[in-house]
Amino acid sequence: MASEDIAQLTEALAKTHVGELSYKGQGLKLDNAESVKQMVQDIEQFQGLQSLKLEGNTFGVEAAQSIAKALEAKSELQQCHWSDTFTGRLRSEIPPALKSLGGALMTSGARLTELDLSDNAFGPDGVKAIETLLKSSACYTLRELRLNNCGMGIGGGTVLASALTECHKQSSAAGSPLRLKVFIAGRNRLENDGATALAKAFKLLGSLEEVHMPQNGINHAGVTALAAAMQHNPNLQVLNLNDNTFTKRGSIAMAEAIRHLQCLQVINFGDCLVRSEGAIAIAWALKEGLPHLRELNLSFGEITETAALIVAKAVQDKADLEKLDFNGNCLGEDGCEALREAMEGMNLGDMLGSLSDDEGEPDDDEDYEDEDEEEDNEDTEEENGVNGTDYVNEENEEPHHSSELIAFLNSPSSEKLISFGAKRVQLIEQEVDVSDACKVSDVFLKISSVYEDEPEVKRAVFESTDALLRKAFSNSHSRSYSFISSLIVNLGLLKSEDKKMKVSVLPGHLLALEHAAGQEFFPLDQAGVLEAFVSRHGKVLESCSSARDALKTTLAKRTTA
């Protein structure tokens, strides 16, 4: 045989998919049994059918029933590529068609590995039509489930979650637990309730490697539920939640989750309102883990220059990095140039995506428009109404001590702080609740507000604030991050989506922070973040210029040592 003939044969064999029968993209309108007569014959005569591609055609109920009949004898079928198969059909036609096809798969004894029903607008009723199939032994071996753009809604998402949970339960009882690896369900209007229901199923599965749920109207409550579930899927490699609404709370929860996912390679949080506080949280997650990160999309998230630079610095040691997307944020012309220079300085210039759609620097007087505004306002009312009792632990062995501290926090004065004497450090270490980083920041500001350039007062303030921060930083990483983030907001260095009362910055605030920043207990990475904001937004602290400059000097020494 001539060499060119061998090459042609090799090429032909490479294009042949053994066990696959495909009608993909033929645009056929198949209404009845007669219209699918040839297709049915092909299926019946195909020995060892493993993959059936019907996408890009449209099937009526009778046509689907005829195909289903042929599939009842196909026990080797593993892959059903049936996306975009009901275009132009009435909503009422789709469920019976799906039931017929699903019933055939169960009758045949097939063990599916892939099921793709994307781009079929079947809604919640369509999910109910495949519910029995998803619970059956035909899906015990399912590895990929694709239900993109199906209009499932909250109801469909809840039914789907229940079906996956039941499948896992039954397959586990049979000795082979469901090990779903790929889950795709974008553009389905799942919202918080649908996402939360699916999160419970994901937590149970623990086998996911790819999750794609973009454009689902999910806000921070649903994002937080998904974040908790992702931590139970240690092999996760791709996480795409594009075009949902994280805001600060969702971003922080997700940052805490991805910190534990050491296999994660692709993160798409574009158009998710991550914002600057969320971006900083993600930066710390990057510094703590994600050694195999290839792509990070934080585009269109209302992120400002300093936060973007902190993220850029956090990816500098990611050897596998291919792309960092910050397009459509609020960097401004100078910020875009600074980000490019930073990336080029780390030899990562080619990894930075386009910044052509940057929104420009935000207006200082512009407030965030939060999609959860009503709920946020309720939270704000609670925050603005706190008193000293909110800052201490509820269970105290020494109630008298608690009352003393509460009195001080309600009305701070140097006299009260000094009156605590030698017990002040123990009092703060034992009584202050550091589980809420925002409240830790508030306590820090209250204590440091009584600073005076008098030795006894100065010592009392520094001892107290050092004790507070030492305890706060010894807590979980996410909480120590949250403290710095909250403090940056309180000092006016970063705009927050929280509608909090602004603090009038005093020299004592900055001098107490400067003293703490020079101590070993103050984390180096947090010092770096603080230094970035003080250096770039120091004009905000002009009224305390001497204290500000001292803080800048100490932070610079820590970060360059």
Side-chain angles (χ1 to χ4, degrees), residues 16 34 76 85 132 136 152 154 160 207 233 333 373 385 395 397 401 440 462 496 534 542 555:
T16 301
E34 183 62 29
E76 296 180 46
T85 49
T132 303
S136 73
M152 288 191 288
I154 295 173
L160 176 60
S207 56
N233 289 266
E333 186 175 341
E373 187 171 355
E395 298 180 0
E397 295 182 1
H401 289 171
V440 174
F462 287 170
S496 174
V534 172
E542 190 64 38
L555 291 171

Side-chain angles (χ1 to χ4, degrees), residues 36 38 55 60 110 122 146-147 161 165 170 175 196 211 229 270 280-281 358 381 385 393 449 477 495 507 524:
V36 294
Q38 183 60 52
E55 61 261 56
F122 48 56
R146 302 170 187 267
L147 297 170
T165 300
Q170 296 295 338
T196 300
V211 174
I280 296 169
D358 187 73
E381 290 172 6
N393 293 310
S449 70
H477 183 275
K495 185 185 298 183
L524 190 58

Side-chain angles (χ1 to χ4, degrees), residues 355-419:
L355 299 173
S356 61
D357 295 318
D358 187 73
E359 297 286 341
E361 293 184 65
D363 188 336
D364 290 339
D365 298 325
E366 182 181 352
D367 289 328
Y368 285 131
E369 292 182 4
D370 199 340
E371 296 200 6
D372 310 315
E373 187 171 355
E374 182 176 343
E375 186 175 344
D376 286 344
N377 285 341
E378 292 175 1
D379 292 344
T380 304
E381 290 172 6
E382 293 177 4
E383 288 175 5
N384 290 342
V386 296
N387 56 51
T389 59
D390 294 288
Y391 299 115
V392 299
N393 293 310
E394 294 182 0
E395 298 180 0
N396 298 293
E397 295 182 1
E398 300 289 345
H400 173 67
H401 289 171
S402 294
S403 63
E404 288 181 304
L405 184 59
I406 290 168
F408 169 76
L409 294 173
N410 280 333
S411 181
S413 71
S414 57
E415 291 80 7
K416 289 179 184 177
L417 186 63
I418 290 173
S419 71

Side-chain angles (χ1 to χ4, degrees), residues 68-144:
K69 188 66 176 176
L71 290 176
E72 289 180 355
K74 299 300 173 181
S75 61
E76 296 180 46
L77 186 62
Q78 298 177 16
Q79 302 174 9
C80 297
H81 299 279
W82 297 348
S83 63
D84 190 20
T85 49
F86 298 108
T87 300
R89 300 295 170 182
L90 296 175
R91 191 76 168 263
S92 59
E93 291 184 89
I94 303 176
L98 288 172
K99 285 183 179 179
S100 297
L101 293 167
L105 295 173
M106 291 185 286
T107 300
S108 71
R111 294 293 183 267
L112 299 183
T113 58
E114 297 181 33
L115 178 60
D116 186 356
L117 291 170
S118 299
D119 301 315
N120 289 309
F122 48 56
D125 291 340
V127 183
K128 292 176 183 177
I130 61 171
E131 181 181 8
T132 303
L133 170 65
L134 291 173
K135 293 178 179 179
S136 73
S137 59
C139 289
Y140 288 1
T141 51
L142 198 61
R143 296 295 179 263
E144 299 185 14

